Amino acid sequence: MSDDRPKSKRPANTAFKQQRLKAWQPILTPKTVLPAFFIVGLIFVPLGIGLYIASEKVNEVMFDYTECKAQTPSATFSRTPGRAPIEEWRWDGQTCFIHFRISEILVPPVFLYYRLTNFYQNHRRYVKSFDANQLKGDQIGVQNLDKQLTNCDPLREAAKVYAANLTVIVNGGPQEIKKDAQVYPCGLIANSMFSDEISTNLSCIKSDFTGFPDGQTCANVKYAFSESGIAWPSDKEKYGVTQWKDRADDVTIATTLVPPPLWREAFPQWKDGYNFSNLPNLHEWERFQVWMRTAALPTFRKLYARTTGGGSALPPGLWEISIRDTFDVAKFSGTKSIVISTVSILGGKNPFLGAAYMAVGVICWVLGIVFLIRHMIKPRKLGDHTYLSWNQPQQNQARAPGVPEVGGERSSLIGGR
């Protein structure tokens, strides 16, 4: 016999659904609130001072080289007033040579960064524009390319990116790419990769430092950085050598895989396309891995090189760095800079964190003192019923006779309920 009784919407008779779970609600009293303010201040202020001191111990040299490319090509250096620590630079039509000054010794490890402004790597479509399987090395696009690499649109199929009948150079001769050729690596992130080639050997121009290794003079000293070790180990696991390299010949690679459009302009080795020997090894290319980890803010810095094996200190003096300028920041109204920095136990230079902790601690102290003075001058008894609204004589006198108070227990009693 079927049960025709209507189904009840009443919740089950459990402690959770009937809201009978045990609960604890603290009663905030001066004896508990005032010590909390002072204890938080006592913790945050010394901690903020420590963070700030650690940040100030980081030595950092930063200079903007955006306008170097705008100079007239010349074989002589020109002075750059107002661009400290840059003292002079020159542009030869492709490469920018910069003389900059380091005022304090930089103890190892020393890190070389590039810094971009107004570049929004956090855009929703930009962040998603890559294919994890392709980056890991899978042979994508053997068939049904239109159903693969969909996250990379519009930089997925070569036919949609390049003009019709695109040819590449293979073994000294032109070859037309296939209709189903794919961009490798595909997507907006890879295509917009920072392409300036920064020299990883700094040349000493002038220095009063006398402690160079092996008694060398400044003119013979070069300070070397390395690309090795700049990517996170977890990042390296996401990239692999493409299987196309093991399963295809030179012609197939060149006509099936094409570089992103900006790579053909920025990187000379891929101007004529890929071949078996120049196909990028994404598993070992750490600068590419660093770039693919998108930044959360429009102003960011990314690691380009670092000293390895302990390294030696970078002495004060006038140093030269060369930069092959191919990354156009005018497209997004941004700037680009070089940052050479040491680190502390907390990382790079970040005075804001220490200042924020000190500010919170000081605010807690100020509030604690204000509330303490208020409590000492005019203390309030805990649970005193005279502070309730219907026990206030001034309010009762101001109300017209016979008009009930609106709200609260008093109005219910006057209304006869």
Side-chain angles (χ1 to χ4, degrees):
M1 180 176 178
S2 61
D3 190 359
D4 296 333
R5 289 177 300 178
K7 294 183 179 180
S8 174
K9 295 183 179 180
R10 178 183 298 177
N13 188 20
T14 62
F16 177 77
K17 293 189 176 182
Q18 295 296 337
Q19 300 184 13
R20 295 195 301 265
L21 292 176
K22 293 182 179 181
W24 175 76
Q25 182 177 0
I27 299 176
L28 300 179
T29 65
K31 291 183 179 180
T32 58
V33 173
L34 292 177
F37 274 118
F38 290 113
I39 291 174
V40 170
L42 190 64
I43 295 174
F44 273 53
V45 170
L47 185 59
I49 292 174
L51 293 173
Y52 189 82
I53 292 175
S55 175
E56 289 302 303
K57 288 183 178 180
V58 175
N59 291 326
E60 182 178 279
V61 178
M62 181 171 64
F63 51 87
D64 188 324
Y65 68 95
T66 309
E67 300 299 326
C68 183
K69 192 175 182 179
Q71 305 298 309
T72 303
S74 174
T76 58
F77 284 86
S78 58
R79 304 293 294 179
T80 57
R83 295 184 179 273
I86 299 178
E87 294 197 359
E88 54 186 9
W89 61 15
R90 73 178 181 90
W91 169 252
D92 69 354
Q94 289 186 330
T95 305
C96 180
F97 298 88
I98 300 174
H99 289 174
F100 65 97
R101 184 164 295 279
I102 296 177
S103 56
E104 299 181 43
I105 188 169
L106 304 184
V107 296
V110 184
F111 298 86
L112 175 65
Y113 302 87
Y114 57 88
R115 179 177 183 268
L116 300 179
T117 63
N118 206 40
F119 192 105
Y120 287 82
Q121 274 198 316
N122 56 1
H123 190 281
R124 179 178 58 85
R125 289 190 61 190
Y126 184 93
V127 169
K128 295 169 57 178
S129 188
F130 69 95
D131 187 88
N133 293 327
Q134 187 196 51
L135 296 176
K136 204 168 184 177
D138 293 354
Q139 190 176 9
I140 304 239
V142 178
Q143 56 184 357
N144 298 328
L145 180 62
D146 57 333
K147 297 181 180 179
Q148 303 178 66
L149 309 178
T150 53
N151 284 343
C152 292
D153 279 333
L155 296 179
R156 176 178 55 149
E157 300 175 63
K160 296 181 179 180
V161 176
Y162 293 100
N165 302 324
L166 174 69
T167 59
V168 293
I169 305 301
V170 183
N171 299 327
Q175 290 280 348
E176 186 174 331
I177 65 169
K178 298 178 180 179
K179 293 182 179 180
D180 59 349
Q182 63 181 275
V183 177
Y184 177 81
C186 68
L188 297 172
I189 308 178
N191 182 60
S192 61
M193 179 181 170
F194 181 79
S195 58
D196 282 2
E197 187 177 335
I198 304 171
S199 170
T200 53
N201 287 309
L202 305 182
S203 301
C204 184
I205 304 301
K206 182 180 179 181
S207 177
D208 297 329
F209 186 73
T210 57
F212 287 110
D214 302 325
Q216 293 179 311
T217 60
C218 170
N220 299 323
V221 171
K222 290 188 180 296
Y223 193 84
F225 292 94
S226 171
E227 179 185 355
S228 177
I230 64 174
W232 295 3
S234 59
D235 283 346
K236 294 197 69 173
E237 297 174 359
K238 301 176 183 177
Y239 304 90
V241 180
T242 178
Q243 295 174 358
W244 282 98
K245 196 163 187 177
D246 298 329
R247 303 175 183 179
D249 56 21
D250 214 12
V251 175
T252 303
I253 290 176
T255 56
T256 305
L257 305 178
V258 297
L262 292 183
W263 288 23
R264 291 174 66 96
E265 302 173 10
F267 298 101
Q269 65 269 35
W270 297 313
K271 179 182 63 175
D272 296 322
Y274 290 141
N275 55 55
F276 188 83
S277 60
N278 72 359
L279 196 63
N281 183 349
L282 303 185
H283 181 68
E284 299 296 334
W285 194 9
E286 294 193 37
R287 287 174 187 157
F288 175 78
Q289 298 167 16
V290 171
W291 176 259
M292 293 295 291
R293 177 175 286 276
T294 54
L297 300 175
T299 297
F300 59 86
R301 64 178 65 175
K302 288 183 182 286
L303 190 58
Y304 189 84
R306 57 169 297 173
T307 56
T308 57
S312 59
L314 180 56
L318 190 66
W319 294 82
E320 179 182 275
I321 189 171
S322 61
I323 306 165
R324 184 177 175 274
D325 195 327
T326 60
F327 189 75
D328 185 13
V329 295
K331 296 177 181 178
F332 51 90
S333 302
T335 62
K336 50 187 177 180
S337 307
I338 295 294
V339 182
I340 301 174
S341 174
T342 61
V343 294
S344 68
I345 57 174
L346 300 173
K349 197 175 189 69
N350 183 15
F352 173 79
L353 187 60
Y357 270 88
M358 287 189 288
V360 171
V362 170
I363 291 173
C364 287
W365 275 346
V366 171
L367 291 176
I369 292 173
V370 170
F371 292 152
L372 178 61
I373 294 174
R374 168 65 174 78
H375 180 64
M376 294 177 65
I377 295 176
K378 193 176 181 181
R380 176 174 175 173
K381 183 180 178 181
L382 183 65
D384 190 350
H385 290 189
T386 60
Y387 285 95
L388 297 174
S389 60
W390 54 83
N391 291 328
Q392 301 299 314
Q394 295 181 352
Q395 294 182 8
N396 293 335
Q397 293 174 5
R399 190 167 51 250
V403 178
E405 181 181 359
V406 178
E409 183 183 355
R410 179 68 172 173
S411 62
S412 299
L413 295 175
I414 293 176
R417 287 178 284 177

